[in-house]
Amino acid sequence: MKMTAREAIVFLQHKMNEATIGQEHIVARLIMGLLADGNMLVEGLPGLAKTRVVRSMADAVESTFSRIQFTPDLKPSDVMGEVRKYNENGKTEYKFHEGSIFGNIILADEINRAPAKVQSAMLEAMEEKQVTVAGETHKLPKLFVVMATQNPIEQEGTYPLSEAQKDRFLMHIRIDYVDMDSEFKMVKLILDEKRHEKTEHEKIPQSLIFAARDEVADVNVSEALGRYMIELIFATRYPVRYSRQLGVMIDLGISPRGSLALSQCAKAHAWMKGKKEVELEDIHAIIHDVFRHRLVISEHARMNDRTHDEIVDIILAQVPKPKGLSKES
């Protein structure tokens, strides 16, 4: 497929939007995750095309797709792989058999149904891009992203993700119902797919994904905006310095991993908009998705029905914006 890195990402976005009508926001966020080499957590009610949108990405990219359905009885070896014993010609041999985590695009479906041991094993895979089985470390592919989903309404048989695991996700995206026109088109599309065979199309080579990542890395962040992003992070750690209201709402602020995620996502957003430098609007566009799962809000805030997004809005209002910037969101 002869195209530039930017053309490849535009093609990917087009294909994903074709497959999931009306979900342009989540499509853009998942592509940002791919560009920033980060894992994504997608939360939404059943039937909102969470699985479909991730699969549409795998269909458009030259990749191995693995779907893991997390259940309470799942074992780490089911996901990571295991060492098996073989007796051949009188000799005993031990061979490692890769689990379903050994793919490029991993759909971790209902990840909060996995027990602690499985979630612990996922931490190493998501952060280090490797798994350790029987004392031996096995590297995962260079192109490796986990797109995890969770259902917000079912609590029975679930294991809430630990703060450490949530911090491994670059962004936490919420998916909602589409409008009536989009849902009508989506129903028609799926019914048509069942009647006709799916036609194969050329897939985007992994080399173009890596080339796009290199271009994203080259997007410039001015010192003023770099310091602004760090101050937004520090406002979550020392909220009382900014307002008493924030002080009673936040129990635990955002880690340095969140600082890196904010910068990476702002650069990916700017690049997707065709810019070579991050602007204020790029930071404001993605900050809720980066902060949402990292902020630990207080019992007082929960009792008063304060949401994470509302608290992020207060942080944005309290932290002074850099002076002399021409564009704001």
Side-chain angles (χ1 to χ4, degrees):
M1 181 179 286
K2 293 182 179 179
M3 55 173 67
T4 65
R6 182 172 297 281
E7 288 170 344
I9 297 305
V10 170
F11 174 79
L12 173 61
Q13 192 166 8
H14 172 71
K15 283 296 180 184
M16 291 177 69
N17 281 326
E18 270 189 345
T20 51
I21 298 166
Q23 295 290 6
E24 290 82 4
H25 175 81
I26 186 175
V27 166
R29 293 303 184 266
L30 290 183
I31 292 175
M32 281 181 215
L34 185 68
L35 292 172
D37 193 14
N39 307 300
M40 309 292 279
L41 180 61
V42 184
E43 183 176 315
L45 297 171
L48 294 185
K50 298 187 294 293
T51 300
R52 185 179 175 89
V53 70
V54 177
R55 189 180 291 276
S56 69
M57 174 181 284
D59 286 343
V61 177
E62 198 176 74
S63 61
T64 302
F65 174 71
S66 292
R67 180 182 183 273
I68 307 170
Q69 182 63 55
F70 285 85
T71 57
D73 61 347
L74 200 67
K75 297 179 293 184
S77 59
D78 296 330
V79 178
M80 306 302 155
E82 61 184 358
V83 174
R84 296 177 186 172
K85 180 179 177 180
Y86 293 89
N87 291 310
E88 295 179 2
N89 302 322
K91 294 182 179 180
T92 300
E93 290 187 7
Y94 294 89
K95 295 180 182 178
F96 175 67
H97 282 254
E98 296 180 350
S100 48
I101 197 71
F102 283 84
N104 302 119
I105 297 175
I106 311 299
L107 172 59
D109 217 354
E110 296 188 284
I111 193 172
N112 57 327
R113 290 192 177 277
K117 284 185 177 180
V118 176
Q119 291 191 16
S120 178
M122 287 293 293
L123 279 176
E124 182 186 14
M126 291 166 60
E127 184 70 12
E128 306 297 334
K129 294 198 173 183
Q130 65 182 33
V131 299
T132 303
V133 178
E136 188 174 349
T137 298
H138 304 271
K139 292 290 184 182
L140 291 164
K142 183 180 178 182
L143 179 63
F144 174 80
V145 290
V146 174
M147 308 287 188
T149 72
Q150 66 177 12
N151 181 342
I153 61 170
E154 292 182 14
Q155 303 302 323
E156 189 174 345
T158 63
Y159 303 82
L161 301 182
S162 67
E163 297 305 323
Q165 186 164 3
K166 286 192 287 187
D167 200 26
R168 261 62 174 192
F169 288 104
L170 187 74
M171 286 193 277
H172 175 191
I173 316 158
R174 289 198 173 130
I175 184 170
D176 206 348
Y177 295 112
V178 298
D179 57 55
M180 284 194 292
D181 186 54
S182 295
E183 185 151 346
F184 171 76
K185 290 176 181 176
M186 176 64 78
V187 170
K188 187 174 183 301
L189 174 67
I190 294 172
L191 291 177
D192 286 344
E193 285 178 350
K194 291 180 178 181
R195 291 174 53 201
H196 306 290
E197 283 190 23
K198 196 173 183 180
T199 56
E200 291 295 324
H201 57 78
E202 282 191 278
K203 296 193 175 186
I204 299 168
Q206 291 187 18
S207 59
L208 287 177
I209 301 298
F210 298 136
R213 286 179 178 179
D214 289 340
E215 291 186 14
V216 170
D218 288 338
V219 172
N220 185 54
V221 180
S222 67
E223 183 174 345
L225 284 181
R227 290 185 176 277
Y228 174 64
M229 285 191 278
I230 296 301
E231 188 169 4
L232 289 169
I233 297 288
F234 269 65
T236 70
R237 299 178 193 169
Y238 309 102
V240 74
R241 294 180 183 177
Y242 294 85
S243 75
R244 291 180 60 187
Q245 184 185 24
L246 280 177
V248 298
M249 287 182 174
I250 299 173
D251 272 353
L252 187 64
I254 291 169
S255 74
R257 192 179 283 113
S259 303
L260 183 60
L262 185 61
S263 180
Q264 287 175 310
C265 292
K267 289 173 75 168
H269 187 274
W271 184 85
M272 289 179 69
K273 296 292 185 182
K275 294 182 282 191
K276 293 184 178 180
E277 184 166 355
V278 170
E279 296 174 351
L280 192 60
E281 62 185 9
D282 299 306
I283 299 169
H284 290 179
I286 50 84
I287 190 171
H288 293 82
D289 297 318
V290 175
F291 278 20
R292 185 176 290 132
H293 56 304
R294 291 184 167 95
L295 268 182
V296 179
I297 65 176
S298 67
E299 186 65 29
H300 177 273
R302 286 192 292 270
M303 288 178 64
N304 285 276
D305 296 323
R306 287 289 193 174
T307 67
H308 291 79
D309 288 351
E310 287 174 340
I311 295 174
V312 174
D313 287 336
I314 295 171
I315 292 168
L316 287 171
Q318 294 294 333
V319 175
K321 297 177 180 63
K323 296 179 180 178
L325 296 176
S326 58
K327 288 189 178 181
E328 295 187 9
S329 63

